[in-house]
Amino acid sequence: MLVRLIPALGGDGTTYGIIAMNDTGSDMLSLYPSDIMHLGNIGFYIGWRAPVAVIDANGVAIYCPSIAVEVLPVGNGDISWRSNWIVEEAIIRNGFVPRLSGVAIRQHLYFGTAPGNHYLAVATTKGGLSSLL
């Protein structure tokens, strides 16, 4: 997927490609500190949010900075099959944890796999998903 700072909040439109795991238990997109450096001029960006408490599987809470970004799902060759960007809340965590998708992307797309199939199908409509399976 491509990530960018929201232009209406001061983002300059610079995009950066990332790979995130689709985790239904994750409420926010995970970004690494190095990702932020690739998103253009963040000096005047007003999309920063309050720190968020993240509770891991052991019940330990850590506080992570959060930021509003836009994401655009893309296929091979960074070709998008969606025309509009999706607003997503993201947390910034160290690179020792997997990068996880957020809830907003799951509200705009349909995901599924057929029995015995290890490939993930993604579509923008339910009908499109059933035709892929």
Side-chain angles (χ1 to χ4, degrees):
M1 76 177 67
L2 296 177
V3 179
R4 73 177 182 184
L5 300 177
I6 301 171
L9 300 179
D12 64 8
T14 302
T15 62
Y16 181 61
I18 64 168
I19 296 174
M21 292 176 30
N22 181 35
D23 180 12
T24 57
S26 174
D27 292 338
M28 299 181 86
L29 173 68
S30 303
L31 295 176
Y32 300 144
S34 59
D35 296 335
I36 301 302
M37 294 185 283
H38 294 282
L39 294 178
N41 184 6
I42 62 169
F44 298 104
Y45 188 62
I46 59 172
W48 290 97
R49 305 291 188 240
V52 174
V54 177
I55 301 172
D56 64 16
N58 295 327
V60 177
I62 60 168
Y63 286 86
C64 299
S66 63
I67 187 170
V69 296
E70 289 181 325
V71 297
L72 184 66
V74 294
N76 294 337
D78 285 345
I79 298 170
S80 176
W81 32 270
R82 234 185 109 80
S83 60
N84 52 340
W85 290 79
I86 300 169
V87 175
E88 184 78 80
E89 294 293 321
I91 58 169
I92 302 167
R93 293 192 71 172
N94 289 329
F96 303 112
V97 295
R99 188 184 284 128
L100 304 174
S101 67
V103 70
I105 199 163
R106 289 190 305 278
Q107 292 175 344
H108 288 84
L109 302 174
Y110 294 91
F111 299 89
T113 57
N117 186 350
H118 63 276
Y119 294 106
L120 176 67
V122 182
T124 56
T125 63
K126 283 185 182 181
L129 182 62
S130 64
S131 69
L132 292 173
L133 301 175

